[in-house]
Amino acid sequence: MLYDVPGRADPIISSDLLEQWNQTIQDAYDRLGNWKNRFFTLDPSSLKNPVRASIKWFGDPAEPAFCLDEPTAKQLCDWGVQGRHILHNEYCEYRIIEKPDSTGKMRPKRVEVTTELREYWTCIAKFDPVAVRAMVENVLGFLPNWEALYGVSNPSLLSPRQREIAFSRLVAGHGNNAELVAAGVPEQPTGALNQDNALFMTHPINGLDDLLYIVMFGAAPYVVRTDTGLKSAIREQIFRQYNVEGLACRHADPAAAMGAQGAAMNGQTVAFDNPVGMYILSFNHRAFWYQDEPVPEEWIRFSRGEKDMYQRLEFGPSDADSAFLDEIVVAVGADTQPLTGGFQLLQQIEIGPIIVVGEPTPVAEDEYVILRTSSEPIRCRDAGICDRIHQLKQQYDTAQNIGRVGPRQMGVFS
């Protein structure tokens, strides 16, 4: 199977580059050998009478909401690059673009949302600097210099391995790739291109390997024994069995894993449809209003993919428009509030991969995976990530207090 590029967003990519991207997918799949079975295939063309499976989730980060509360989650997720780098781990990242209003005050102007895989961009940057530079220009509207991409003036003098390291350091981060970590690449990029803009995803958990893993992890007929026979296991039992309870506390991982498990229980084989990627599958734009009217259509700009496979959304007024993002209101039921950042936007966006399943087949007795774990609810507030989120909250509060000057007190002289 030869996969197209994600979303078929870059039709001019050469056949050699396409082969390199497919090798990247194959390598990620091969590293997950312990999870291979007949209920998952890397080749969707091998499925008999495939049908689309509905696997999707909302893009707003779940962890800060269950660790603290939703208002604090919104506060922290909207806190610039700090919030993005720690909290945007539902395979969807965003950046709030601010501009000065007529008084000089900085206000939110629009939000850039991306679901693009870092491995795809890094693959292109590794083997074809000219192509990745053109991709950046296509997304951001300007041609970056080579120093911004690779830290050198002529990346053609670097080996592919050197280009991968340099690009990852400045633009992509290490993505939990052991070789990049060993080469000293930081977790998150240090350059401005993918900090000042949401060029593509950089959170280490938002990777191709994680996406493959969670679907392959779920693609098995997990069951428990009962007095009346075998019964399909529930989410708590599955995640607890493999000591990954924390994954059950996100939006993405339970949706992907349980969707795959449901197919496996029917004896269906699961596959990523062509092309492999993470896509914006729905957007409830009707929740957003401006001056008692639906937001103008030109304020909703999808890109980086064919229809139904968009990987990018820019939402909000252009620089030429006098309006600002916080003049838009979000109406959910009877509640309305100003749109101040990306968290509220992601609450109205569903994302996911495109998954297909084959025809149902009988499941043999020895194919069932019998679990013996508890069905008690998983206490998400006890998850290890909560410690880091509490630390982020403390950092946020400290940052908000810096520069605040208390009221002047006059000394008394005697």
Side-chain angles (χ1 to χ4, degrees), residues 81-100:
V81 75
Q82 299 98 318
R84 175 185 174 188
H85 283 177
I86 293 177
L87 301 178
H88 296 190
N89 61 359
E90 300 281 4
Y91 298 94
C92 187
E93 300 181 20
Y94 65 87
R95 187 81 171 104
I96 302 167
I97 305 299
E98 294 187 333
K99 297 289 180 179

Side-chain angles (χ1 to χ4, degrees), residues 32-326:
L32 296 168
N34 291 340
W35 298 100
K36 291 181 181 180
N37 62 40
R38 81 166 179 95
F39 299 102
F40 180 87
T41 179
L42 203 58
D43 183 4
S45 65
S46 67
L47 299 181
K48 186 176 181 180
N49 297 322
V51 295
R52 178 77 63 87
S54 179
I55 296 179
K56 56 186 178 180
W57 55 88
F58 287 101
D60 57 301
E63 289 176 341
F66 70 66
C67 289
L68 296 167
D69 53 58
E70 187 172 298
T72 308
K74 171 181 173 294
Q75 193 178 65
L76 296 180
C77 289
D78 286 348
W79 188 32
V81 75
Q82 299 98 318
R84 175 185 174 188
H85 283 177
I86 293 177
L87 301 178
H88 296 190
N89 61 359
E90 300 281 4
Y91 298 94
C92 187
E93 300 181 20
Y94 65 87
R95 187 81 171 104
I96 302 167
I97 305 299
E98 294 187 333
K99 297 289 180 179
D101 64 13
S102 58
T103 69
K105 179 183 177 181
M106 297 299 291
R107 293 169 60 191
K109 188 71 173 180
R110 55 187 169 272
V111 180
E112 298 176 337
V113 179
T114 181
T115 64
E116 288 206 67
L117 298 170
R118 66 167 300 281
E119 288 86 352
Y120 171 66
W121 279 78
T122 304
C123 175
I124 305 303
K126 179 179 181 179
F127 294 105
D128 193 336
V130 173
V132 80
R133 193 184 190 197
M135 287 163 55
V136 174
E137 182 181 26
N138 174 263
V139 173
L140 301 183
F142 63 87
L143 190 68
N145 59 41
W146 291 123
E147 286 81 0
L149 292 170
Y150 296 97
V152 298
S153 59
N154 188 359
S156 66
L157 300 178
L158 303 177
S159 68
R161 174 66 175 158
Q162 289 172 324
R163 286 196 291 263
E164 180 185 24
I165 292 171
F167 181 82
S168 296
R169 180 176 288 113
L170 286 172
V171 189
H174 64 51
N176 283 334
N177 180 298
E179 293 181 354
L180 293 178
V181 172
V185 175
E187 180 177 289
Q188 291 287 355
T190 60
L193 273 182
N194 210 1
Q195 289 196 23
D196 294 346
N197 306 278
L199 185 58
F200 56 85
M201 296 189 294
T202 63
H203 196 294
I205 294 178
N206 293 337
L208 171 66
D209 53 350
D210 295 281
L211 178 58
L212 287 171
Y213 160 73
I214 198 60
V215 175
M216 294 175 68
F217 168 80
Y222 296 109
V223 296
V224 293
R225 290 193 185 278
T226 69
D227 293 339
T228 57
L230 298 180
K231 178 183 177 182
S232 179
I234 63 173
R235 180 186 68 175
E236 286 75 9
Q237 293 166 320
I238 296 172
F239 285 90
R240 187 173 280 125
Q241 175 73 32
Y242 296 95
N243 297 313
V244 289
E245 291 96 326
L247 299 184
C249 297
R250 300 189 183 121
H251 294 315
D253 296 325
M258 298 310 293
Q261 191 254 357
M265 287 297 296
N266 293 327
Q268 295 172 290
T269 298
V270 179
F272 290 91
D273 202 6
N274 182 28
V276 173
M278 185 62 66
Y279 303 112
I280 299 172
L281 299 180
S282 75
F283 175 44
N284 180 25
H285 60 86
R286 294 179 180 85
F288 301 94
W289 293 75
Y290 174 70
Q291 296 183 345
D292 297 323
E293 296 286 342
V295 293
E297 290 185 8
E298 59 267 24
W299 290 7
I300 306 171
R301 299 175 294 279
F302 290 103
S303 61
R304 295 299 296 162
E306 297 178 351
K307 189 177 184 302
D308 299 324
M309 291 191 295
Y310 295 126
Q311 300 171 96
R312 184 175 183 82
L313 168 65
E314 293 183 52
F315 183 86
S318 70
D319 288 348
D321 198 306
S322 61
F324 282 81
L325 197 74
D326 53 11

Side-chain angles (χ1 to χ4, degrees), residues 38-39 221 263-268 360-369:
R38 81 166 179 95
F39 299 102
M265 287 297 296
N266 293 327
Q268 295 172 290
T361 62
V363 179
E365 186 71 22
D366 62 356
E367 290 182 311
Y368 287 106
V369 181

